[in-house]
Each structure stands twice: as C-alpha cells, then as structure tokens.
Amino acid sequence: MIFLDNASTTKVCTPALEIVRSVSEQLYYNPSALYGEALKVKNLLEVARKDIANILGSDANEIYFTSCATESNNWAFEKGIKNRKGNIVVSSSEHASAYECAILQKSKGIDVRFLSLNKNGTVNEDDLYNKVDENTCFASIIHCSNETGAVNDIAKLSKIIRGINNKVIIHSDGVQAFAKLGFNIKSLGVDMYSMSAHKIGGLKGCGALFIKKGLNLAPFISGGGQERGLRSGTENVAGILSFAEAAKYFKQNYDSGLIKQMRGYLIQELKPLNVIINGTADAESILSVTVPGIKAEILQHMLSDKGVLIGLGSACSSKAKNNRVLSAIGLSPKEIEGSIRISFGLENNMEQIKIAAELIKTDITTLRGNIK
C-alpha cells in the first residue's frame, strides 16, 4: 500500500503507540485525583505540554489541549469574538472547521469579510488592506492550505493587520504547518494557533490551541476546571502524551528536502500530460493537481485498486460537489471535477513515488483514451 493522503491523516508512529500502551496498562489514573500515582500522571501531562510548547516556540502555559483542531478552531472563533463588536476577516482558504465557524457568525448578524486568494492560493494582500479596518475585531488566516499546500506569510499578514488596527485578535489554523515549517510562534504575531495530533503521527481525538499569554478568554467548556479552567473535562492522557511523543518524533524525522524532492518528481512526471498544478509550485507536503478531461473520483478508485491511495481534497469536505478553495483560486467546476490531492509524510520514499507516478500516468492515459 502506498499512502499518499497524509494531509487527511497519518499512520500512528511507534513512539506514540508505545505511550498509548503504557497509559492503558500502567498510567490509567485520573490526573485530577490526589494520590501519588495520579499526581505522576498529572506531571507527565505538564511535560507533554512543555514538549509541544518547545516545538512551537511558546511558553508551556500558553498550550491548551483539546479533542482536535476542529475544537481548537471553534474555541478560537467562539471565544475570540464573543462580546466584541465589529467585523471579522477570514481567508477564503480556511479548512471547513474554521470556514463553517465564520458562516455561523455571519448567521448571527456579524459582518464577515472573506479575503480573496491569489492564483497561487495565498491570501491577496491588497484585499487584506481593503477588508481590515478600525472596526475589525477578529481575523483568521490559515497557515498552510490543506487543499493546495500554499503557505501564507502569517508574520507579514499579521503585521499588516496590526498596522491598520492593533486591537484585532488574530488566529491561524496551523494544522498542516506545525512541526513541518520552521518557525517560532512568537514571530508570527498571532494570538491563537490551532494544532492536531493525527496529522503528525499521533492519535485521532487530540489537538491543541495556543493562546497567547495575556489574552483573556471566557471558558470554552465549563466543569472541573481542567486546562487552567478554560477547557474542562477529564484529560485524554493517552492522546496528549502520544501527541507530544509524535510531535517530537515527527520534528526529528521530517525531511523537508526529501518531501520537496518527492513532490517535485511527481510534478515533473505529470507535466507532460498537460496537468495543472494548483497553488504554489514550491509548496511542501501537499500537491494539488487538475487533470483536464477526466473525473478525479474515477482515477482515485482505479489507483486504490492498485494500492495507491490519494485524496480529492479535504477529507472533511470530500463529499461536496464543489471545492470552494479551488474555486477561489479560479478553477472552473469542470476543472475541480478533475482535481486530485497528493500529500506526503514520513512513511513515503522515492521508490514509492516512482511506482505511484507510473501508475497515475497509466491510469490518466487510460481514462482519457476511454473518453475519446
């Protein structure tokens, strides 16, 4: 099996699996209990918090664990906007979990302004100048597009926003960037940043939200006071500890050069078939390709039968007939119908990519021949 849909999820890495077993068999205590064994577990959670913070470049007390990045995004929108008057600015390339939050705010009567995208998939800076004003209270701009791999210069965009209005709360969905792109969260100029465990070799059901020190938010989930009173609920110990282990393992083993080499090889092999590369040609772990004259879903099934798994875009919106992100960069409905997403991870190597490239080329040629 050649798995090339790593933007949707990843294989759980061995260190994370080992932690899960240890927690299940030996460290199963509730961190809120007061006896010694439970306190040991509580201390391990704080070590995990520090590990995530070290990779992000934040303080440990700025990391709050959640059930997933969708929850983190919902937290950012719900509490970042609550009781604040004004408009909000959101990029058109957001993941569904942030985009739908924006739509919900719009349904409440809030002035939601969606930023247009450049052809390469990044946020249009001129439109940012047009949309942000003295009444803007919240902005959310994805760091790395889960659809095209286009990377927004969050530090520059944050600077533009604060130059217009320094009271804006800025959030970024960093799911496809965390532990991959080299950055320090303090340099990005954001107030909140969302992360997910299962995109980097951790378990599904665990995520985190960076909340900048000094940003006062109301509790997202009330209850027993976990996560310093902002997100109550018995901690997912296995998920959190394995998240930290996966993040460290991923950071140590992620080879940006190899990832770019694999992506570049596929582009080189597919270009003679007159495909369209969506977004920036120099993106990293995600490759969005439009193959004119075919239906991508049929290509996906053909490749799956041969052991090559690719995506058609975000797994959270794969059943949608249209792709709003690809539409926002100028693709027609027909072009979107012929678009595939290939995404790379730690388990991939050049030998796999060469095999996959030949199978993809063969199936595209077959499909086009059948159509003729």
Side-chain angles (χ1 to χ4, degrees):
M1 187 72 69
I2 299 176
F3 184 67
L4 295 174
D5 195 21
N6 291 275
S8 68
T9 196
T10 56
K11 179 181 177 180
V12 179
C13 66
T14 301
L17 285 174
E18 290 174 349
I19 284 290
V20 172
R21 177 165 190 143
S22 176
V23 169
S24 301
E25 295 181 344
Q26 303 167 13
L27 302 172
Y28 51 84
Y29 309 99
N30 188 325
S32 296
L34 298 179
Y35 38 80
E37 295 303 320
L39 292 175
K40 289 179 183 178
V41 174
K42 188 177 182 64
N43 289 335
L44 287 174
L45 289 177
E46 295 313 308
V47 171
R49 199 183 307 276
K50 289 178 183 177
D51 288 338
I52 298 295
N54 286 339
I55 293 173
L56 195 62
S58 72
D59 294 337
N61 61 9
E62 295 176 304
I63 301 298
Y64 295 81
F65 291 112
T66 64
S67 65
C68 58
T70 290
E71 181 188 322
S72 298
N73 286 343
N74 273 261
W75 185 351
F77 272 80
E78 182 65 27
K79 300 305 177 181
I81 299 170
K82 188 174 184 179
N83 299 327
R84 304 185 80 235
K85 296 180 180 179
N87 62 73
I88 70 173
V89 175
V90 181
S91 80
S92 294
S93 56
E94 294 303 309
H95 182 272
S97 61
Y99 179 80
E100 291 301 327
C101 284
I103 295 299
L104 177 61
Q105 295 300 325
K106 188 174 182 179
S107 73
K108 295 177 180 179
I110 292 177
D111 179 9
V112 180
R113 304 174 179 183
F114 288 102
L115 299 168
S116 62
L117 305 180
N118 298 313
K119 184 67 177 175
N120 67 5
T122 59
V123 165
N124 185 292
E125 291 180 19
D126 290 336
D127 199 36
L128 186 64
Y129 279 107
N130 291 332
K131 299 282 173 63
V132 178
D133 59 28
E134 66 277 6
N135 294 316
T136 303
C137 66
F138 181 86
S140 184
I141 301 175
I142 197 168
H143 197 171
C144 175
S145 170
N146 56 294
E147 295 286 356
T148 66
V151 178
N152 283 307
D153 187 341
I154 299 297
K156 184 178 182 181
L157 298 178
S158 295
K159 189 174 181 180
I160 292 172
I161 292 170
R162 298 203 188 281
I164 300 170
N165 182 345
N166 63 9
K167 294 182 180 179
V168 178
I169 290 180
I170 303 175
H171 164 257
S172 182
D173 179 336
V175 167
Q176 300 293 346
F178 176 64
K180 297 178 185 178
L181 306 181
F183 67 92
N184 184 298
I185 193 68
K186 294 178 181 178
S187 70
L188 297 187
V190 299
D191 299 293
M192 291 183 278
Y193 193 85
S194 302
M195 294 158 278
S196 173
H198 79 100
K199 306 294 187 178
I200 53 169
L203 295 180
K204 298 172 184 65
C206 187
L209 179 66
F210 159 81
I211 302 177
K212 187 178 180 181
K213 190 183 300 181
L215 181 63
N216 295 316
L217 300 179
F220 183 55
I221 300 177
S222 299
Q226 291 88 350
E227 295 303 297
R228 295 185 293 287
L230 293 185
R231 198 275 185 188
S232 294
T234 302
E235 297 91 341
N236 175 5
V237 177
I240 292 170
L241 299 189
S242 62
F243 183 12
E245 286 301 311
K248 290 187 293 182
Y249 181 83
F250 194 94
K251 183 71 175 176
Q252 292 167 1
N253 292 279
Y254 184 77
D255 187 339
S256 178
L258 175 60
I259 295 291
K260 289 180 178 178
Q261 182 184 356
M262 291 189 288
R263 187 181 186 278
Y265 180 85
L266 266 181
I267 292 175
Q268 175 185 313
E269 290 296 303
L270 295 178
K271 268 191 172 180
L273 297 177
N274 296 317
V275 301
I276 302 166
I277 307 301
N278 302 317
T280 51
D282 60 349
E284 195 152 314
S285 60
I286 297 173
L287 173 61
S288 175
V289 180
T290 293
V291 186
I294 73 159
K295 289 187 177 180
E297 189 173 352
I298 297 175
L299 175 61
Q300 182 188 51
H301 289 314
M302 290 175 68
L303 289 169
S304 176
D305 289 342
K306 297 170 184 174
V308 178
L309 305 183
I310 63 170
L312 300 179
S314 171
C316 293
S317 57
S318 60
K319 294 180 181 178
K321 293 181 179 180
N322 194 10
N323 184 309
R324 57 179 170 76
V325 176
L326 296 184
S327 179
I329 63 173
L331 268 65
S332 67
K334 196 70 177 175
E335 289 172 326
I336 292 172
E337 188 179 51
S339 297
I340 60 174
R341 184 187 68 176
I342 297 169
S343 45
F344 311 89
L346 296 187
E347 298 292 317
N348 298 131
N349 55 54
M350 279 303 300
E351 182 180 353
Q352 289 181 340
I353 301 307
K354 289 178 180 179
I355 294 170
E358 291 305 313
L359 291 173
I360 293 170
K361 289 191 295 183
T362 298
D363 285 352
I364 289 174
T365 302
T366 300
L367 281 173
R368 283 176 169 169
N370 289 340
I371 291 172
K372 291 177 181 179

